[in-house]
Amino acid sequence: MTEPTHDNEAHGGALGSRLNWLRAAVLGANDGIVSTAGIVVGVAGATADRNALLTAGLAGLLAGSMSMAAGEYVSVSTQRDSELAALAQEKRELKEQPEAELEELTELLERRGLSREVAREAAVQLTERDALKAHASVELGIDPDELTNPWNAALASFLAFTVGALLPLLAIVLPPASRRLPVTVVSVLAALVLTGWASARLGAASVGPAVLRNVLGGALAMAVTYGAGSLLGAVGV
């Protein structure tokens, strides 16, 4: 009776972790699309030179992907350090006061809807199997075997941003000069519809508002940067 509860919790945590990774990948790609589109469209407003567009787009892609990777590495490293510290403290408490920890686990299971007797039996069995893992899961919401790797998180952010950024970069440099801007705008807006839909579905949110926000935000970013680029080009800057 107790084992399914523990297993379902593990499966639920694994599913939540996978969804968080997917959501982060979608948002990272979305950032790459919008930021790089803003850069290349802004430059396109000032000049039609392909080399200038390629240079600006690549610079934006590299700067953005490295910034995303570094930020994710720092963030996940901090989270991992906190989780390791919490696990170390829990390990000390289990060693120094095992009875108090058993009672604490029992009370936590009671709060989840189990009767006192069943909660006590479950706490004893979970403690005998793996006390640290039981407390980490029930008390801290941590799986000691599934701590997030900051290097994996950094690589995932780098790749997600890069994939997103490649779309506007290729769209602005590959077509003929007369078609660069419309091809880029249409491609970017279509991609934003897709990422908005994906983020809404992964977050179990309404698709319409998410897509609309995404598209309007990207369109506004491109309009502002294109206007700024056109103004600078007109004055010869």
Side-chain angles (χ1 to χ4, degrees):
M1 182 173 184
T2 58
E3 289 184 10
T5 302
H6 188 63
D7 290 343
N8 286 341
E9 183 176 274
H11 291 318
L15 177 60
S17 177
R18 286 195 295 271
L19 289 177
N20 285 336
W21 276 105
L22 287 171
R23 192 176 297 114
V26 170
L27 294 177
N30 193 78
D31 286 344
I33 293 168
V34 175
S35 61
T36 307
I39 292 172
V40 297
V41 167
V43 174
T47 177
D49 183 71
R50 191 188 301 269
N51 289 332
L53 292 170
L54 179 60
T55 300
L58 282 175
L61 184 155
L62 291 173
S65 59
M66 293 302 296
S67 175
M68 286 284 290
E72 192 70 11
Y73 178 82
V74 170
S75 175
V76 174
S77 292
T78 300
Q79 176 186 339
R80 185 183 176 89
D81 289 345
S82 298
E83 291 174 343
L84 288 173
L87 289 172
Q89 179 178 345
E90 196 64 40
K91 190 173 183 179
R92 286 195 301 271
E93 291 175 352
L94 285 168
K95 182 178 181 180
E96 296 170 0
Q97 43 189 6
E99 287 302 320
E101 289 298 297
L102 180 61
E103 177 61 26
E104 181 182 35
L105 183 58
T106 301
E107 293 175 356
L108 289 170
L109 292 172
E110 277 189 273
R111 293 174 193 170
R112 297 192 174 192
L114 299 180
S115 67
R116 173 70 185 182
E117 294 75 15
V118 173
R120 183 69 177 187
E121 179 186 351
V124 169
Q125 291 187 21
L126 290 173
T127 299
E128 289 175 350
R129 177 180 297 179
D130 190 329
L132 179 60
K133 189 169 185 177
H135 279 267
S137 177
V138 177
E139 182 181 347
L140 304 175
I142 299 173
D143 185 345
D145 300 326
E146 297 291 338
L147 296 181
T148 305
N149 187 320
W151 287 107
N152 290 343
L155 179 60
S157 292
F158 178 88
L159 292 176
F161 188 97
T162 300
V163 169
L166 281 173
L167 173 68
L169 176 58
L170 295 176
I172 203 73
V173 299
L174 293 182
S178 61
R179 298 182 182 178
R180 286 175 188 163
L181 191 60
V183 168
T184 301
V185 171
V186 171
S187 299
V188 167
L189 294 182
L192 292 177
V193 169
L194 179 60
T195 56
W197 174 85
S199 62
R201 292 301 299 270
L202 289 170
S206 178
V207 171
V211 169
L212 184 61
R213 286 194 300 266
N214 224 27
V215 170
L216 288 179
L220 179 61
M222 288 188 289
V224 170
T225 56
Y226 181 76
S230 298
L231 180 62
L232 292 174
V235 298
V237 176

